[in-house]
Amino acid sequence: MSDWSQSIDSLNNGQAASRAEGIAEGVSEGDLVRRRDFLTLLASSFAALGLTSCDVRSPRQTIIPWRDQPEHTLSGLPTWYSSTCRACPASCGVLVKNREGRPIKLEGNPDHPISRGGLCARGQASVLDLYDSERLKTPLAKGEATDFAQLDAAVIGALRSIRDRGESIRIVTSGDDGPAARRAIEIFQAAFPDTRVVEHHPLATRAIARAHGATQGTARIPSYRFNKAELVVSFDADFLGTWISPVGFTRDWADARDPELNGGKMARLVSLDPRMSLTGANADFRVALKPSAVGATLLHLLVHVGRKLGKREVESIAGRLPAIPIPDAVDDEILGGLAEELVAARGRSLVIAGSESAADQIIINIINEWLGSYGATIDLARPVWEEADDLDSLDTPDALETLIADIESAGTQAGSGAQAESDDNRAVPGAVIFLGANPVYNHPRGAELRRALEKVPLKIALCDRLDETAALADWICPTPHALESWDIARPRRGTYSIVQPTIAPLFGSRPAVTSLTTWAGKPTEAYKLVRRVWRDEVFERQSQFDRFEKFWVECLQKGAFEIEDATPDASFTRPPLAGLVELAVVESVLAQNENGNRAEGDLEFLAYPSIALGDGSQANNPWLQELPDPISKITWGNVGAISPATARELGLEEGRVVEIRAEADTGLGPVRMPIHIQPGMAEGVLATALGYGRTHAGRIAANYPIERVFGIDKAEPGGADVYPLLGVGSVSVTPTNGFDEPARTQLYDHQTEPFTGEDRNPAREMSFADFIKQGRENGHGDAGGNSEHGGQSETDKHLKHGAHAAEPTLWSEHDYPGHKWTMAIDLNRCTGCAACVVACQAENNIPVVGKAEVRKKRDMHWMRIDRYYSGSPEAPEAEPDVAFEPMLCQQCDHAPCETVCPVLATVHSSEGLNMQVYNRCVGTRYCANNCQYKVRRFNWFDYAHEDLVQNFVLNPDVTVRSRGVMEKCTFCVQRLNAGKRDAASDGRPVADADVRPACAQSCPAAAIVLGDANDPQSAVSRALENPRAYSVLEPLGTRPSVRYLARIRKEDATS
Amino acid sequence: MNPSATQALRPPLVDTPRTASQITDDICRPVEAMPTASWYVGFFASVTALCIGAVLVTHEIATGIGTWGLNSTVGWAWDITNFVFWVGIGHAGTLISAILFLFRQKWRTAVNRSAEAMTIFAVMCAGIFPLIHMGRPWLAFWMFPYPNTRGPLWINFRSPLVWDVFAISTYLTVSACFWYIGLLPDLATVRDRARNRVRKFIYGIMSFGWDGSGRTWIRYEMLYLLLAGLATPLVVSVHTVVSFDFATALVPGWHSTIFPPYFVAGAIFSGFAMVLTLMIIARRVMRFENYVTLRHLDAMCKITLVTSLIVALAYAHEAFFAWYSGNNYESFLAINRMRGPFAPEYLVMVTCNVLIPQLLWSKRVRTSPLIIFFISIAINIGMWLERFVIIVISLHRDFLPSSWADYSPTYVEVGTLLGSFGLFFTCFFLFCRVLPMIAIAEVKSVAATPGSGEVASATIIDATPGEGEKP
Amino acid sequence: MTHKLCIASFDSPEDLLSATRAARESGRKIYDTYVPWPVHGLEEAMGVARSRLGVVCFMLGSLGVATALGFQLWVSTRSWPLNIGGKPFDALPALIPITFELMVLFAAVGTIIVFFIRSRLWPGAQPGIALEGATNDRFILALETNADDAEEIAGFVRDRGAAEVREVDLP
C-alpha cells in the first residue's frame, strides 16, 4: 500500500491518524526510492507527450497496485479537506482539493471567519511548495544525512550537557507559530528551564502593538473592521496587499465599496504612501508621501482633527508645529479637508498606518480614539498574533538583536562569571534552536547573526529546506509542509483554525513539535498534541458542544472555530496625552531631520514585502516568481523603483543596474539591482521588494535556467536581497554599466494611445457623483458613464446598449438552449491582487516559462490583470490613477478565433463556451492573432515541468499541453462539468455555487461571478442588468460572454 | 495581316538575326557544356545558404517555435512575411507566361521559361513557411480533409488558412503542369541533340515521346491556351486568398477590403522585380544578351513602374481610409506605422516601393541593366518589408494596450529566410544547367530567320503569328 | 494499302504550308507534319478539325465546382455541423475560394491528362517517327505512300521545295 493511501485513511479515521504519523516518521530509505521511481514513471508519461525518446520502464522494486481503496475516495473525484493556509501569519481557511491522494489545489474556505472564501496568490501557490524537490529529504548532521534516531540521541545528549553547564537555550520562532507549537515549547522549557523564546517575525507590525501598549495599556494589534468603515485613511498600510490579513480585509473592503450592497453608499479610501502599493492604487485619493514625512503629516492631521473636535490638548502641539514644517506633498488644505471628512464620518472612519515608528502609531491611535473608531471600526477585543514578547515598553529592543548581543557578549563574559550572574538577561546561550525561522536571511542584521552563530556550540534548525540559517546549523530536522502536518493557527484571539494534513509526508520530515517534545523527553505526536491543545484551549472554552470527539470532528470539517465569549474589550487607559504627543513630536522631528536632509543624490530607502513573495519564504515557488507584480507587472526579481522625476534628476533609465549603499554602514557590500521607473512613487524615495536574492532557498529562487540554445543554459540571478537594508533610512545610489531589463508582462501602461491621445478606455470608471446621478436619472441602460477618462469615442456610443440581443446581425443566431455561461467582473470590487492569476495557474496546469521568456512576452497566464495608469506616454502623470482589469478569454459568441482555425481546434459549445481542443491544435497561432483581447497562449517550447516532483500538483482533469499547442481559459470547463454532474446527481438545477471557476472561487473580493445567463435567478443575470455593465471592445461585434461592471471612484466624501 | 505594320516598326526581339538552328545551339549550350566558374560559385553559395536554412529549420522543429522571436501578441512575423513574399515573387512568372500570352505580348518568349521556373521555386519556398510555422508541423496533414477515425471530423472550410492550402497547392500544381507542358517540345529538342546515351535516355523519358507532330501541336496550342486562360484567374485568386488571411481577420491593418487587388498588384510588382534581378544576372552569366534584350528589360520595367504606382495608390488609400473611416483603431494604426517603433521599416518600404521605382520613368534608366538591377533589389527589399509592415505592425499594437509588445527576429528566423533564398537559387541554378532556360520553340517561332538568313526578323514575326491566335 | 511514308523535309514553314495545302488539295493522304514550332495555318492546311479540349476543360471545371461545393456543404451541414464563430452552418460565401480553386485544379490537371492520352504522350514514350531536325529547324511533311506512287509523291514534294525526301516504314 502506498504511503498516501494510508494518509487518506488517517484523515477519515481519527484512530488511524496516529498510524499515519508513525509511518510518516518511519519513512525508510527504501520507501523514498520507490516513490521517486514512481514519480519518474509518472513524469515519463508526460514527457512522452513531447515526443522525447523516453524509455518508459517499471521501477526496479516491486510495486503494488492500490488494492484497498480508502473509504470516501473515488478515483477521478476530488476529496476536500478543510485546513489552514500557513503561507503567511494571516492564517486564512482553505479547502484542500485532493485527487487520487494528492493535494492539488487550495481554495478559500467560505466558512472560515478570516478569509470567507478568498485566498491570496501566495496561499494558492503554497500547494506547489509541497512538491518542492528542494525540500530536505532526511535529517542532516553537520551536512551528512542521518536518521531521526541518531539525531535525537545526539541532540538530547548535547542539550543536557548544555543544561548541566548552566548555559541557556534560545528558541528562535517565526512569530506565527500557533498554540500547539507554544505548548511544545512549554514542554521543552519544562525539561530545559533556561530556555527563552526569541520571536522573529520578519515583517513585524510591532509598532502597532507597542503604541497600543502605550495608549491603551495593552500591547496588541487590533482587528480592523473595514466593512464598518465609510472612510479609510491609510498611511502606507497596504491592507489590500500584504498588511496583517489582506484577504479578510479585501473582502471587508470590497463589501464596503459595493454601492449595490450598501443601499447606494460606498466607502472612500484615501492613501498617503511613498510607493504605489496595491492599496494606493485602489485609493480614491492618493498622495505620494515619503516615509520621513509621515510623522509630520500625522501631527498636522492630529492638530486639524483635534481642533475640529474642540480638543484643547492639541493647542500645545500646535504651538510646536512651526518647528515641523508641513511636508511638500501635502498641504494644509488637503489635511484640513481630510480632517473634516474624518470628523464627518466619526465612528465610521478608520485611520491606519504601516509605519514601524511607535510614535506614528501613537498619533494614529489618538486620532482613532478621538474619532470614536475603537469599538466601531477597530476591535481591540480580538487582537491578532498575540506575541509572547513583552511589548508594553516602547523601547524594548528587537528580540533578535538582543540575541545577537547576547551571543556576542558571551565571549567576554566567559572570563567574568560574576557579571554573568548579576545580569540574568545576559546568560550565555549554549544552544540556539531555529523553529521555522530564517533570521540569517530575513533579518537586517542577518550577517551579524551569521558571525555570532559561530560562537554558539549547538545550533539546531527545524525547517523545510537547507535555508540560509539552516546552512549554519549542526543539526537539521526537516519539518513537513502545512499540508503534511497537524497544527493549530490562531489568527486572532478567540479564532482557532486547524491545520490538517492531507497527505503523508513526501520526504523524511518530522513535525517540529514532535522533535521538541522528543528532546524534552516526552515524545508527542503532532496529532496528539494538537488534540490536547484543542481540547484545553478551545473545547473547554466553548459551550455549544459537550463531547470533545463530536466537537473535534465538527471542527475538522469546518476548519475553524470561533469562541464567542472572548475576553472583554480592553479598557482604554487614557494615558497622559500631552506627554505622549510630546514623545511623538520629538521622534518625528528626529526621524525627519535624519531622513529628510538627505545628501545630494541620496534617496530615502523603503523595503516592502511584495504581493508575490511576501517575506521570501516561498521564494523557490515558480508560480510566485512568475506572478507579475500587480503594479509594476515585473516578474522574476526585484527592482529599485524610483519616481520619473527622481530618475531624471539622477540620470537613471529603466533597467540600469545600480549599486545601493546604505548611509549607515551595514558592513556588507552594495546591493545591485536594476532601476524601475515607477509612476506614483514619492520623489526622492527608492522602494524595493523583500524576499528576493535568496541564496539557499533552491534553484528557482537563486536563478532559473531560462534559455536553452543548443543545450546551453543561460541563467541569471533572481533579484537581490535587501533585508540588510531594511530600516536604513537613506541610501546612496551609484549607476553601473550593467543593464538588466526587468521582465514585465505588460509593456504599455496607458489606456491612451500614443501619438493620438485617443482614450481606448477598456477599463472604465465613473465618479460616484455620476453613478448616483445616473441612478436617479435613468434607472437603466447608459452604462458607459465615462467621468473623467471621457474618451467619448464611437466606442462609447455603441455601448449604450445594455445587452447583445439588441445588436443587428447578418445571419441567424445559434441558440443556447441549456446553459449559457456568462461572467461578470465587478471592477469596483476588484483590487488587482492577482490571487485569481495563481488560482487559474494551479487549476489549469499552466506552465511557468522563466525570466527570459517573460521578457519576450511569452508568459502563459490565462488570467491576467491589465493595469493602466491615467495619462498618456506623451503626458505621463507623476501620480497617476490606476485601473485594474482582469482579462481572460471572453468566450465570444461570434469568436474571431474560431473562424480562422483551419483544423477546428477551437469551436463553440452549445453552452456558449469557446472550446480549445488541445490535441487537435496544430499551432498556426492564427487564432491568437485574431483575438482582440490577446488572451490566447502558445506553448513555444515544451514547458513540461523539469522538476518531476512538481508534476504531482497537476490537475488530472486538465490536459497538460504539449509544445506547439495553443491554450486559453475555458471558464474552467472541467469545474462547470463537475458542477453540472453534482447537480444532476442531486437531482436539482445547477446553482451558482456549483459553477465557480478557479478565479471566481479564489477572489478575496468576490469580484468575479460566473453563472447561467439563461437562468434569471442567477447572480450573473442580475449583474448583467447592472447599469454599470459593459463589455470590452463591444463594438467589434464579437459578443463576448464576459461583462465588466465599471469602477466607481469616490472623488470626494460628499454624496 | 494588319498588326504586321506596327510590329515591323518595333525593334527585333533578338538582337542579331539568328537561324533556328543557331538559336537551338545557343539555348542548349548551357545544358550541354560544362558549367562556367561563375555558375559553380553561384551554385555552391546557394547550397551553403540552403544548408544553413536546413540546419536551423531542423533546430526549430526539434526545439519549438520559441526559437523564433515571436510572442503572445505577435504570433506571426518573419514566417508569414516570407510566405507572402515568396508567393508574391511567384506571381510574375504566371503573369508573364499566362497573362502576357493572352495579351499576345511576344516579347515574353525570351523570359517566360525562367519566370515560370521562378514561380515554381518561389511557391516551393513559400510553401515551406506555413508548414514550419506550425507548432506541430508533423501534423500538417490535418489541414487536408481526409476520412479519419476521429469521428467525421473534417476541417474548417471557413478558415483562410484552409483556403491557402487549396490555393497554394492548386497554384503549385497548375504552375508546374503549365511549365512542364511548355518544356515538352524543348526537352524533345535536347533529347534529339543528345550524343550521350544516358542523356538521351533521361531526356527521352522526360520528353514523353514528343516528336513535333503537327496534330499534337494543334492540340497543344489549344491546351496551352486553356491553361493560360485558367492560370490567369488562378494567379489572381491565389494572392487574393493570401490576402484573405489578413483581410478576413479582425486586426486593424488587416481588416481591409482593398487587400485583394493591393496584394495582387504588389505580388506582380515584387515578382517582376525578382524576374528582373534574375534575368539581369542570367543574361550575363549565360550569355543570353541576344535573347533577353534591352527591349525586354524596358518592357518589364514599364510593368514594374505601373504596379509600383498601384502599390503607391494602395498605401495612400490605406492612410486615407484610416482617417476617413473614423475608426480610431485604424487611424492609430496608420500613425503608428509612421511614428511607432517600426517607423524605419515603414519608411524604407515606402522609399523602396514608391520613390525609387519612379526612376523608371526615364528611358535611360530602363535600358541600363546595372541601374535596373539595383532598383529591382530595392523593390525586393521594399516588398518584403511591406509584408512585414502589414503583419508585425498591425499585430504588435492592436486593440488592448495592455498586450502591446515588441518584436525582434532571432538568428533562426534570419537563417531560415537565408535558407529559403538558398533553396530558390539552388533550384534556379540547377534549372539553368539541366533545362533550356529559354523556350526554344517559342523563341524560334518569333525570332528565327530561315536557314538562309536572308529574311528580316520582322518578316518572320509577320509570317508566324503568335501562339495566342487561334490556329 | 499504305506501306510507307514519304518524308519530305522543308527549310521554311512557308514551303511546308504550301506543300501541305497542295497535297491535301490534290487528294493525297497526309499522315502528319513534324515541325519544331507551331506553324500558323497548319491546322487549316492539314484539314484537321478544331480541337475539342475546350469542351473537356469546361466539363472538368464544372465537375470541380460540383465536387467542392457538394463536399463542403455536406461536411458543414450534414456530416458534422459545428458552431464556428456563431456563423450559420451553410455559410456559402466562405465556401467560394475552395470551390474556385478546385474548379481550376480539376480543369487544368484533367485537361492535361486528356491531352496526354489523346496525343499518346507519356513518360518514356518513344517518338512515333524519329526524324532528324524535326525538333530543331526542319519542317517535315509525311505523306502516305505505297509501292505504286512513291516516285510520284517524291516528285510532288520536291517540286514544292522539299530539301530532302526519303521513305520510311510506317510505324
Side-chain angles (χ1 to χ4, degrees), chain B residues 224-272:
Chain B
Y224 206 83
L225 178 71
L226 288 170
L227 288 182
L230 286 170
T232 302
L234 176 66
V235 71
V236 173
S237 84
V238 169
H239 230 56
T240 301
V241 165
V242 170
S243 80
F244 284 166
D245 284 348
F246 309 105
T248 62
L250 201 64
V251 183
W254 287 12
H255 185 78
S256 167
T257 47
I258 68 156
F259 265 26
Y262 166 28
F263 267 53
V264 171
I268 294 165
F269 181 49
S270 65
F272 265 86

Side-chain angles (χ1 to χ4, degrees), chain B residues 88-394:
Chain B
I89 295 292
H91 276 45
T94 318
L95 186 105
I96 288 173
S97 49
I99 299 181
L100 296 187
F101 176 83
L102 294 181
F103 283 115
R104 299 178 194 175
Q105 294 294 312
K106 290 189 192 67
W107 60 268
R108 71 179 261 286
T109 54
V111 292
N112 76 327
R113 172 70 42 76
S114 313
E116 284 169 43
M118 190 189 82
T119 296
I120 291 158
F121 305 147
V123 175
M124 279 163 54
C125 291
I128 289 170
F129 287 99
L131 184 70
I132 63 169
H133 101 293
M134 283 186 205
R136 305 198 288 175
W138 49 91
L139 300 176
F141 63 97
W142 284 0
M143 300 281 257
F144 292 95
Y146 63 95
N148 56 65
T149 53
R150 300 177 190 92
L153 180 60
W154 301 102
I155 53 172
N156 183 8
F157 292 115
R158 290 165 179 80
S159 169
L161 284 188
V162 166
W163 305 345
D164 266 352
V165 168
F166 280 85
I168 299 294
S169 52
T170 300
Y171 186 43
L172 184 61
T173 310
V174 173
S175 303
C177 289
F178 194 40
W179 181 61
Y180 202 81
I181 294 291
L183 264 171
L184 271 182
D186 294 355
L187 288 170
T189 304
V190 176
R191 173 199 66 200
D192 290 348
R193 289 165 55 87
R195 307 259 181 276
N196 171 323
R197 283 179 62 188
V198 176
R199 285 179 70 91
K200 207 167 190 77
F201 176 73
I202 293 170
Y203 284 102
I205 289 177
M206 284 165 66
S207 59
F208 281 32
W210 181 272
D211 56 7
S213 153
R215 296 177 198 278
T216 307
W217 269 121
I218 288 159
R219 285 186 213 108
Y220 177 91
E221 285 195 273
M222 173 58 88
L223 177 70
Y224 206 83
L225 178 71
L226 288 170
L227 288 182
L230 286 170
T232 302
L234 176 66
V235 71
V236 173
S237 84
V238 169
H239 230 56
T240 301
V241 165
V242 170
S243 80
F244 284 166
D245 284 348
F246 309 105
T248 62
L250 201 64
V251 183
W254 287 12
H255 185 78
S256 167
T257 47
I258 68 156
F259 265 26
Y262 166 28
F263 267 53
V264 171
I268 294 165
F269 181 49
S270 65
F272 265 86
M274 187 58 104
V275 174
L276 280 169
T277 312
L278 288 180
M279 293 315 295
I280 288 168
I281 298 173
R283 71 196 285 272
R284 274 198 70 106
V285 173
M286 302 291 167
R287 297 194 293 276
F288 283 156
E289 283 95 340
N290 271 340
Y291 297 92
V292 184
T293 65
L294 292 181
R295 195 191 143 202
H296 291 104
L297 297 184
D298 184 37
M300 287 194 278
C301 284
K302 284 176 182 163
I303 296 186
T304 308
L305 181 58
V306 168
T307 44
S308 162
L309 293 175
I310 300 176
V311 167
L313 179 69
Y315 297 164
H317 183 278
E318 276 193 324
F320 171 75
F321 263 87
W323 167 75
Y324 185 71
S325 67
N327 182 319
N328 68 321
Y329 301 113
E330 290 288 341
S331 53
F332 171 71
L333 175 92
I335 292 164
N336 188 47
R337 275 184 179 162
M338 294 168 210
R339 295 177 59 189
F342 293 99
E345 280 85 345
Y346 183 77
L347 295 176
V348 172
M349 175 197 91
V350 171
T351 308
C352 288
N353 292 348
V354 178
L355 301 181
I356 292 178
Q358 302 311 315
L359 293 172
L360 296 172
W361 287 102
S362 152
K363 174 88 179 173
R364 272 182 58 193
V365 170
R366 288 202 305 273
T367 50
S368 116
L370 193 64
I371 299 178
I372 301 171
F373 180 75
F374 284 113
I375 292 176
S376 73
I377 294 290
I379 295 171
N380 282 323
I381 293 169
M383 284 306 294
W384 189 90
L385 281 174
E386 180 194 294
R387 282 61 178 253
F388 182 83
V389 161
I390 289 172
I391 293 169
V392 175
I393 300 189
S394 304

Side-chain angles (χ1 to χ4, degrees), chain B residues 46 49-54 125 129 414-424:
Chain B
S46 308
L50 174 61
C51 290
I52 291 171
C125 291
F129 287 99
V414 178
T416 306
L417 175 61
L418 181 71
S420 74
F421 274 99
L423 173 64
F424 180 80

Side-chain angles (χ1 to χ4, degrees), chain A residues 14 50 93 245 255 328 359 424 466 530 543 577 615 712 749 751 832-833 848 861 931 958 967 1000 1022:
Chain A
S245 183
D255 286 346
D328 297 341
D424 190 47
L466 195 63
V530 163
S543 52
L577 186 65
D615 63 0
I712 302 163
D749 293 325
Q751 306 199 49
C833 72
V848 171
H861 297 128
C931 172
V958 179
E967 57 181 68
R1022 290 197 300 279

Side-chain angles (χ1 to χ4, degrees), chain A residues 760 858 866 900 925-926 930, chain B residues 68 75 159 245 250 398 402:
Chain A
R760 296 197 167 179
R858 291 178 181 168
D866 291 348
V900 299
R925 303 184 297 289
Y926 198 176
N930 212 22
Chain B
W68 292 352
S159 169
D245 284 348
L250 201 64
D398 67 344
S402 63

Side-chain angles (χ1 to χ4, degrees), chain A residues 22-366:
Chain A
I23 286 163
E25 283 166 27
V27 171
S28 68
E29 187 61 26
D31 290 336
L32 282 170
V33 172
R34 195 175 65 199
R35 187 180 300 110
R36 271 194 224 126
D37 282 2
F38 178 69
L39 288 174
T40 312
L41 182 68
L42 188 83
S44 320
S45 62
F46 289 118
L49 288 174
L51 284 185
T52 53
S53 56
C54 238
D55 187 10
V56 180
R57 286 174 300 177
S58 292
R60 288 184 299 277
Q61 289 76 18
T62 308
I63 53 170
I64 299 165
W66 191 2
R67 182 187 53 198
D68 299 326
Q69 184 169 280
E71 213 181 340
H72 307 309
T73 304
L74 282 174
S75 186
L77 291 182
T79 317
W80 297 85
Y81 301 97
S82 53
S83 186
T84 305
C85 173
R86 301 300 280 147
C88 83
S91 301
C92 301
V94 292
L95 296 175
V96 185
K97 182 184 190 179
N98 266 40
R99 273 296 297 272
E100 277 75 59
R102 300 176 282 127
I104 59 165
K105 190 168 183 299
L106 301 185
E107 308 210 329
N109 181 353
D111 298 332
H112 198 274
I114 300 288
S115 54
R116 284 153 291 161
L119 191 61
C120 72
R122 288 166 58 203
Q124 291 280 350
S126 65
V127 68
L128 190 59
D129 293 337
L130 173 66
Y131 302 111
D132 186 347
S133 57
E134 309 267 357
R135 286 167 62 206
L136 286 167
K137 303 194 171 54
T138 60
L140 298 179
K142 299 203 163 57
E144 300 292 318
T146 180
D147 60 35
F148 279 107
Q150 284 183 16
L151 180 138
D152 287 344
V155 166
I156 289 169
L159 286 172
R160 282 182 182 159
S161 68
I162 284 168
R163 180 180 60 188
D164 298 343
R165 280 206 305 274
E167 290 171 340
S168 73
I169 298 169
R170 302 292 159 90
I171 298 181
V172 183
T173 72
S174 63
D176 64 330
D177 39 280
R182 285 190 196 164
R183 179 70 63 89
I185 292 171
E186 281 163 21
I187 294 170
F188 186 86
Q189 278 171 322
F192 302 95
D194 196 5
T195 301
R196 250 169 283 156
V197 175
V198 178
E199 288 213 355
H200 166 59
H201 189 296
L203 306 175
T205 36
R206 307 167 80 90
I208 298 176
R210 289 178 189 195
H212 280 93
T215 61
Q216 258 75 4
T218 170
R220 296 172 166 190
I221 302 168
S223 291
Y224 295 95
R225 296 173 176 161
F226 288 91
N227 52 346
K228 299 254 196 302
E230 279 181 21
L231 173 64
V232 174
V233 180
S234 162
F235 287 84
D236 194 26
D238 189 8
F239 69 94
L240 296 176
T242 52
W243 194 66
I244 301 183
S245 183
V247 172
F249 291 165
T250 301
R251 179 56 185 267
D252 283 345
W253 178 242
D255 286 346
R257 287 284 285 183
D258 195 330
E260 280 91 11
L261 272 186
N262 300 316
K265 281 199 210 161
M266 187 181 132
R268 168 167 152 86
L269 173 61
V270 175
S271 180
L272 302 93
D273 48 6
R275 67 182 177 96
M276 188 65 97
S277 66
L278 198 61
T279 304
N282 279 285
D284 296 298
F285 176 71
R286 179 177 177 271
V287 173
L289 189 67
K290 60 170 84 172
S292 63
V294 169
T297 311
L298 278 170
L299 266 185
H300 283 270
L301 182 64
L302 178 76
V303 169
H304 276 288
V305 171
R307 279 183 176 154
K308 294 217 159 46
L309 291 169
K311 305 273 181 189
R312 294 237 182 102
E313 306 96 296
V314 296
E315 294 310 326
S316 67
I317 307 164
R320 300 194 53 170
L321 275 185
I324 309 160
I326 196 155
D328 297 341
V330 289
D331 53 30
D332 235 23
E333 196 182 339
I334 293 178
L335 291 179
L338 207 52
E340 200 161 313
E341 284 186 43
L342 282 170
V343 170
R346 224 174 328 171
R348 304 180 311 280
S349 67
L350 180 56
V351 184
I352 50 175
S355 169
E356 276 305 294
S357 148
D360 293 350
Q361 297 289 356
I362 286 172
I363 303 174
I364 293 278
N365 288 358
I366 296 167

Side-chain angles (χ1 to χ4, degrees), chain B residues 77-95:
Chain B
W78 278 49
D79 45 359
I80 303 299
T81 299
N82 295 342
F83 164 66
V84 183
F85 172 74
W86 279 119
V87 174
I89 295 292
H91 276 45
T94 318
L95 186 105

